[in-house]
Amino acid sequence: MKTLNRKLFRDLLHLKGQMFAVAAVVACGIAVFVSMSSVKFSLEASRTNYYGRYRFGDVFMQLKRAPEFLAEAVSRIPGVASVSTRIVTDVTIDVPGLEEPATARLISIPERGEPLLNGLFIAAGRSIEPSASDEVVASKPFLGANGLKPGARIGAVINGRWKDLRVVGSGLSPEYIYEVQPGAFFPDKRRFGVFWMSRKSLESALNMSGAFNDLSLTLSHGASEKDVIMRLDQMFARYGSLGAYGRGEQLSDRFISDEIKQLGTQITVLPAIFLLVSVFLLNIVLQRLVSTQRDQIAVLKAMGYSNTEIGLHYLGFAMVPTAVGAVLGTLLGAVLGANLVRIYGQFYNFAELVYVFRAENAVIAVLLSILAALVGAIAAVRHAVLLPPAEAMRPEAPPTYRPGLLDRGRFGRSFSVPVRIIVRNIERRPWKSAVSVTMISLSVAILIAGRYTYDAVDRMSSVEFGEKHREDVTVIFNTPMPPSTAYAIGSLDGVLEHEYYREEPARLVFGHRMRRQSIRGLQSTAGLQRLVDKDLHRQELPASGLLLTSTLADLLGVKVGDSLRVELLQGARRVAEVPVAGTIDEILGLSAYMRIEELNRLAGDAGALNAANLRIDKSREESLFRSFKHMPGVAGIMMLKALRQSFDELIAESMTTSTLILTSFACILAFAVVYNGARISLSERARELSSLRVLGMTKAEIAFILLGEQAIFCIAAVPLGFLIGIGLSALLSLALSSELYRLPLAFSSTNFLFAFGVLSTVAVLSGLAVRRRLVTLDLIAVLKTRE
């Protein structure tokens, strides 16, 4: 082994604590990058493979009823590659072991063979037999949540008639990677499931022989999706079409696509912070090392070592911990990535979700860490190379003495000498002190941002399930009902309060911008359903005109006072200019509201209702649930309590893992910065502190001088870290928000107390570790001077 290499490893062993801290920070940054990159690629690859293998459609359309022969006409539209028609309906079901009514989406499949599009993966059991009209394949998540297996029997009300369904298989489809009930944003696996049933059975049950109400198609390469959608809308306008839409507007695909985009944000932001801190740590460690080894550099040059050899030698102090961190980070990233993919598999329903570790991600991460190491080391290496031997043999000139802030006047002299020494040292090195505070504050910021999602989700839960929705049950009708019929639900025994709403699918047009969006007509905003923005502020419906969510208004490019062209897609399909009377910054989805009387006038009818919100007597809910299970004309039931429970379970499991990872990494970051700062300060001031010991100061006093300075840095970093954490959380809020949901910028006192507690604990542990070295200083060895 070469002499310089032996010196390198001897010095690294001497600095093992500081080098390990640098390696740990590098490892955290690489672990985040590798794990998130691999998870993102795994989700993208699994989605692409799933869509391709099971022939997921490109364009979709729902309608009331159309003759089957029109499928041939659709296939002749330029750009259409394949067409699939089917029958889809939502029904109320009675699930064994479940007291509440549940909802099933029945989807027709061919009696023989595979569906042409939106194929079905049989996870267990088998597919349906052609001769069995009662057989269904149920979605795997639904069966698993209810503890059911193939062979179970489930009762359903189909078109007003009771029918026993026999589950023969467990299935999955690319159409329902994110399986959620229509009208909801969060999955309730126990109370909503997708059932696949023979086309002939559904035709018979719904009187849909020779007709369809759902259409999917794929596009040929280079086809214009916009043109195909326009042709479909023209062709099916008379058949109750709700408007064709592309894959980008399909609910399940939008959720998984937004998730992948969010991972892309996390790949860039968090690793950048860790690598920035590693640059800082390497810079201050190497600067101090060069300063303390001035005489050694002079000897090396006098012995004939070139500037290049000496430069590479000191560069090794950066490369070795970086290499160790890169190896540890890559291994840790692979393990974290595999576990994160497993967690994603619990939320998203893939036929096969495989974790793919990409060597490219590890290589990119290592190259980035090496670049960070070079940036951090370059100044110190340059100083070592350019240091002339004669100058290096002399001790470094002491800093020029200037009275400090507490050295002037009677007030300053009232402080003890150790306090004045601490303040004077910070004043002499303002840049170094500022950088140290900033680096510590970054660890606090990551702690704040890591737990911010908890606070944001808690605010979402409070708004949606506490302030906005106060009903217990929402009953969704199969078809719009006249008020005289719908009001009968409110008279059921056990219903304490009831209100109804109407939803009309429409096309909203402003200039060249257009959105397919249902308009919800409300009876009141002071009853069971209220209008509440993300800051918990209640809002009333305007006397006339539309109330749009802020995101929808931005997408359309409208502001209050503008007029929207509203094209209704049902009934008489009337068209009108409606003014935008206001906006509301809601958390979930895109919505358009107006008074139900105005919506009735806009539709040009006597009124129709789509659903009822009910508050029920808890002591009579069992009998009410039995009535709902057998009630004709009901397409589905949504239970507010069940949705909230599902939401809390979903968030708790996903957030716990990600928060634990971020918290652990932030703790490592905080410890590395605080410990390194204290160790370097000890190295720089060992002679000064030893002199103070000889002059009569106690071990406690010199420990106070050294650790007091670090304590001031930590205290100053807390408010700065809070501010940076809030800013980082605001950026995450913007980056992670989408059309489907917006994360509110909300913080709890627990978040800030947690960050403060973690930093305090880390500071105490670092202080104890440094104090142990401080009290064991060899005063004679430290005070020796070079002649």
Side-chain angles (χ1 to χ4, degrees):
M1 183 182 289
K2 293 182 178 180
T3 304
L4 284 181
N5 289 338
R6 288 200 299 270
K7 175 182 178 299
L8 172 63
F9 285 104
R10 185 177 64 247
D11 289 343
L12 286 172
L13 187 63
H14 178 67
L15 298 170
K16 56 183 179 294
Q18 293 162 269
M19 291 296 138
F20 180 76
V22 173
V25 173
V26 172
C28 290
I30 290 181
V32 172
F33 183 86
V34 169
S35 61
M36 294 302 180
S37 298
S38 299
V39 170
K40 181 175 183 287
F41 180 80
S42 298
L43 289 177
E44 288 177 330
S46 297
R47 180 184 63 174
T48 301
N49 180 62
Y50 197 14
Y51 284 179
R53 185 176 178 184
Y54 292 94
R55 308 168 301 282
F56 187 43
D58 294 318
V59 177
F60 309 87
M61 184 174 64
Q62 288 79 48
L63 50 141
K64 189 173 182 180
R65 181 190 181 104
E68 184 64 30
F69 67 80
L70 285 177
E72 177 65 25
V74 173
S75 66
R76 292 195 297 268
I77 295 176
V80 173
S82 58
V83 181
S84 175
T85 64
R86 59 186 181 176
I87 300 171
V88 179
T89 188
D90 293 339
V91 300
T92 303
I93 57 175
D94 184 8
V95 181
L98 183 64
E99 180 183 349
E100 304 96 333
T103 303
R105 167 153 287 190
L106 301 183
I107 300 177
S108 69
I109 56 175
E111 286 77 17
R112 291 182 175 84
E114 287 286 315
L116 181 62
L117 299 179
N118 307 322
L120 181 59
F121 165 71
I122 303 297
R126 60 174 175 82
S127 190
I128 59 173
E129 294 285 351
S131 59
S133 63
D134 64 339
E135 290 187 351
V136 295
V137 175
S139 59
K140 181 181 177 181
F142 174 79
L143 293 180
N146 286 286
L148 301 177
K149 297 180 179 179
R153 287 191 172 274
I154 295 174
V157 179
I158 305 177
N159 199 22
R161 301 184 186 91
W162 180 264
K163 187 175 181 66
D164 282 317
L165 302 177
R166 183 158 56 95
V167 179
V168 297
S170 167
L172 293 171
S173 170
E175 194 176 4
Y176 293 96
I177 290 178
Y178 187 76
E179 190 174 288
V180 63
Q181 184 174 359
F185 280 87
F186 312 110
D188 183 1
K189 297 178 182 179
R190 289 204 70 191
R191 296 164 187 84
F192 176 75
V194 180
F195 288 19
W196 291 269
M197 191 174 182
S198 78
R199 174 76 175 257
K200 187 177 293 184
S201 298
L202 268 182
E203 283 181 346
S204 174
L206 300 174
N207 299 318
M208 292 279 288
S209 180
F212 65 91
N213 64 5
D214 189 276
L215 180 141
S216 302
L217 57 86
T218 56
L219 301 174
S220 55
H221 182 70
S224 170
E225 179 184 283
K226 184 178 179 180
D227 291 343
V228 171
I229 288 175
M230 183 177 66
R231 292 286 299 274
L232 287 172
D233 288 344
Q234 293 171 353
M235 184 180 295
F236 289 96
R238 59 182 293 194
Y239 297 102
S241 167
L242 302 182
Y245 55 93
R247 184 185 290 179
E249 292 187 51
Q250 202 266 347
L251 186 61
S252 174
D253 183 76
R254 286 174 67 183
F255 267 101
I256 189 67
S257 297
D258 285 345
E259 189 70 50
I260 291 172
K261 289 178 183 177
Q262 292 169 8
L263 285 171
T265 300
Q266 296 173 15
I267 289 171
T268 55
V269 175
L270 297 177
I273 294 176
F274 285 102
L275 293 180
L276 176 65
V277 174
S278 68
V279 168
F280 162 74
L281 292 179
L282 283 170
N283 182 266
I284 59 175
V285 169
L286 293 183
Q287 289 280 13
R288 176 54 192 162
L289 187 66
V290 170
S291 176
T292 56
Q293 293 192 0
R294 290 166 58 91
D295 54 342
Q296 296 182 32
I297 294 172
V299 170
L300 290 173
K301 289 190 174 186
M303 291 175 63
Y305 286 99
S306 67
N307 287 342
T308 301
E309 291 175 309
I310 294 174
L312 291 175
H313 167 68
Y314 281 97
L315 194 60
F317 287 96
M319 292 297 107
V320 171
T322 300
V324 172
V327 172
L328 292 176
T330 301
L331 295 175
L332 180 59
V335 174
L336 287 177
N339 282 280
L340 286 172
V341 165
R342 179 183 55 80
I343 293 172
Y344 275 112
Q346 298 174 11
F347 303 139
Y348 296 103
N349 308 313
F350 286 92
E352 185 180 20
L353 180 55
V354 180
Y355 174 65
V356 181
F357 175 78
R358 299 184 73 205
E360 297 96 314
N361 294 335
V363 171
I364 292 173
V366 171
L367 291 177
L368 289 174
S369 62
I370 290 174
L371 179 62
L374 289 174
V375 172
I378 194 69
V381 171
R382 182 173 179 273
H383 184 64
V385 167
L386 297 180
L387 196 62
E391 182 183 340
M393 293 299 294
R394 293 194 299 269
E396 195 171 6
T400 304
Y401 175 80
R402 292 190 303 272
L405 180 67
L406 299 183
D407 295 323
R408 306 185 187 94
R410 187 174 301 175
F411 173 75
R413 287 194 292 272
S414 64
F415 290 92
S416 64
V417 172
V419 172
R420 297 209 300 272
I421 292 175
I422 291 172
V423 174
R424 187 186 306 135
N425 193 61
I426 294 175
E427 284 184 273
R428 285 179 178 175
R429 300 178 176 181
W431 172 246
K432 179 185 173 183
S433 300
V435 173
S436 298
V437 170
T438 303
M439 292 300 108
I440 297 173
S441 68
L442 286 177
S443 63
V444 177
I446 291 180
L447 286 168
I448 295 292
R451 292 182 60 87
Y452 151 71
T453 48
Y454 261 131
D455 294 335
V457 166
D458 185 63
R459 172 66 64 83
M460 290 173 68
S461 181
S462 297
V463 171
E464 290 299 313
F465 302 114
E467 296 295 326
K468 182 176 179 179
H469 294 283
R470 300 171 60 247
E471 70 276 9
D472 298 316
V473 178
T474 298
V475 180
I476 303 170
F477 307 141
N478 261 324
T479 57
M481 290 188 176
S484 57
T485 304
Y487 287 161
I489 290 181
S491 63
L492 291 175
D493 189 27
V495 175
L496 302 178
E497 191 176 350
H498 58 91
E499 63 184 30
Y500 303 85
Y501 63 82
R502 176 175 187 172
E503 280 200 340
E504 283 293 328
R507 187 181 290 111
L508 306 182
V509 183
F510 184 76
H512 66 281
R513 303 188 185 189
M514 184 273 292
R515 298 288 299 189
R516 290 172 62 254
Q517 176 66 50
S518 290
I519 301 174
R520 176 169 292 195
L522 300 177
Q523 291 180 314
S524 168
T525 57
L528 296 178
Q529 181 177 342
R530 298 174 176 176
L531 297 180
V532 182
D533 66 16
K534 64 181 182 181
D535 296 319
L536 298 178
H537 298 141
R538 289 180 57 187
Q539 193 161 333
E540 298 296 327
L541 271 176
S544 62
L546 282 165
L547 177 68
L548 305 179
T549 53
S550 301
T551 305
L552 179 57
D554 292 339
L555 290 171
L556 289 168
V558 298
K559 58 185 182 296
V560 176
D562 290 337
S563 289
L564 272 176
R565 178 182 171 87
V566 177
E567 303 172 2
L568 298 183
L569 301 176
Q570 285 186 154
R573 304 177 72 91
R574 299 181 66 174
V575 179
E577 295 287 330
V578 181
V580 177
T583 60
I584 180 170
D585 197 4
E586 288 189 326
I587 290 175
L588 295 180
L590 305 176
S591 298
Y593 302 102
M594 65 191 312
R595 294 187 179 276
I596 195 168
E597 300 87 359
E598 272 211 274
L599 186 55
N600 291 339
R601 285 195 293 271
L602 185 63
D605 55 34
L609 301 173
N610 294 84
N613 291 325
L614 309 176
R615 188 168 65 86
I616 62 176
D617 186 347
K618 302 300 182 184
S619 64
R620 300 184 181 180
E621 65 179 16
E622 187 175 340
S623 62
L624 269 175
F625 291 157
R626 282 198 301 268
S627 300
F628 291 149
K629 288 179 180 180
H630 297 81
M631 187 176 292
V634 174
I637 305 288
M638 284 195 295
M639 314 289 299
L640 187 69
K641 180 181 178 181
L643 284 174
R644 181 164 194 168
Q645 181 181 353
S646 173
F647 174 80
D648 291 341
E649 290 174 355
L650 177 78
I651 295 303
E653 192 166 355
S654 61
M655 292 296 180
T656 298
T657 303
S658 59
T659 302
L660 180 62
I661 293 172
L662 279 180
T663 301
S664 301
F665 286 178
C667 290
I668 293 172
L669 180 64
F671 184 83
V673 173
V674 176
Y675 176 75
N676 251 307
R679 284 284 289 113
I680 290 170
S681 182
L682 174 60
S683 300
E684 290 175 337
R685 304 178 65 187
R687 182 177 176 81
E688 173 191 343
L689 297 174
S690 298
S691 300
L692 293 174
R693 282 279 290 122
V694 171
L695 292 173
M697 280 194 176
T698 65
K699 292 180 179 180
E701 286 176 318
I702 63 170
F704 175 79
I705 291 173
L706 180 65
L707 301 180
E709 181 178 316
Q710 299 304 312
I712 290 175
F713 290 162
C714 289
I715 293 171
V718 169
L720 180 60
F722 286 173
L723 291 175
I724 296 175
I726 292 172
L728 184 58
S729 299
L731 291 176
L732 286 175
S733 173
L734 293 174
L736 301 181
S737 296
S738 66
E739 290 183 18
L740 294 173
Y741 57 85
R742 273 76 60 193
L743 289 180
L745 195 61
F747 300 94
S748 67
S749 57
T750 305
N751 190 338
F752 296 101
L753 289 174
F754 177 80
F756 177 76
V758 168
L759 180 63
S760 300
T761 303
V762 165
V764 170
L765 293 176
S766 301
L768 292 175
V770 173
R771 186 181 184 279
R772 181 174 174 273
R773 299 184 68 91
L774 182 64
V775 298
T776 56
L777 276 178
D778 186 341
L779 300 182
I780 296 176
V782 171
L783 290 173
K784 283 182 179 179
T785 59
R786 293 177 293 171
E787 298 295 335

